[in-house]
Amino acid sequence: MALGDLEREVMTVLWDAAEPLTVRQVHESLSRDRDLAYTTVMTVLDRLAKKSVVVQQKADRAYRYVPAQSREEMTASVMLDALSATPDRDAALAYFVGQLSPDALQAAIEAARKG
């Protein structure tokens, strides 16, 4: 599932957090660098919850948000979605692997052997 720019920024804040965050906490983190409406962050988090990208946890009168997947799991999911969308999956995968550094390729081979 592809995410928009602001959705990716929100997810980065959540992934970097040590605990589930409220809308206010996410808003404060994102607003350090720019002017961003609280309601915009609330809408983005609500949409991410409806897409099952984040989990809403009820905490008193507010919700706290936590990623449904780790950053690595979500990245792998996006990559698999992209591969399944092409008519020549093998060619796309071969091209992708050809772009990897030797160290990254070796790590992928080792992970495949363990998996």
Side-chain angles (χ1 to χ4, degrees):
M1 163 183 314
L3 299 177
D5 291 341
L6 186 54
E7 288 175 324
R8 281 194 302 275
E9 290 179 49
V10 167
M11 290 306 299
T12 297
V13 170
L14 292 175
W15 280 317
D16 291 346
E19 61 189 18
L21 300 178
T22 63
V23 173
R24 183 161 313 285
Q25 290 169 312
V26 174
H27 176 257
E28 288 171 0
S29 179
L30 293 174
S31 294
R32 290 183 191 136
D33 300 328
R34 64 172 171 217
D35 186 29
L36 189 63
Y38 175 89
T39 54
T40 300
V41 175
M42 185 170 56
T43 299
V44 169
L45 282 164
D46 186 57
R47 287 182 183 161
L48 289 171
K50 287 178 180 165
K51 293 179 184 179
S52 299
V53 175
V54 299
V55 176
Q56 284 180 329
Q57 300 173 341
K58 188 74 169 162
D60 297 322
R61 294 180 9 202
Y63 283 109
R64 293 190 178 272
Y65 294 85
V66 63
Q69 297 178 308
S70 70
R71 189 183 326 242
E72 296 77 15
E73 289 169 329
M74 178 167 247
T75 300
S77 177
V78 169
M79 292 168 64
L80 289 170
D81 284 349
L83 280 173
S84 68
T86 183
D88 193 347
R89 182 178 178 163
D90 291 343
L93 186 56
Y95 182 79
F96 173 77
V97 168
Q99 304 302 307
L100 295 176
S101 70
D103 289 343
L105 182 56
Q106 186 60 39
I109 290 168
E110 289 174 15
R113 286 186 179 142
K114 292 177 185 176

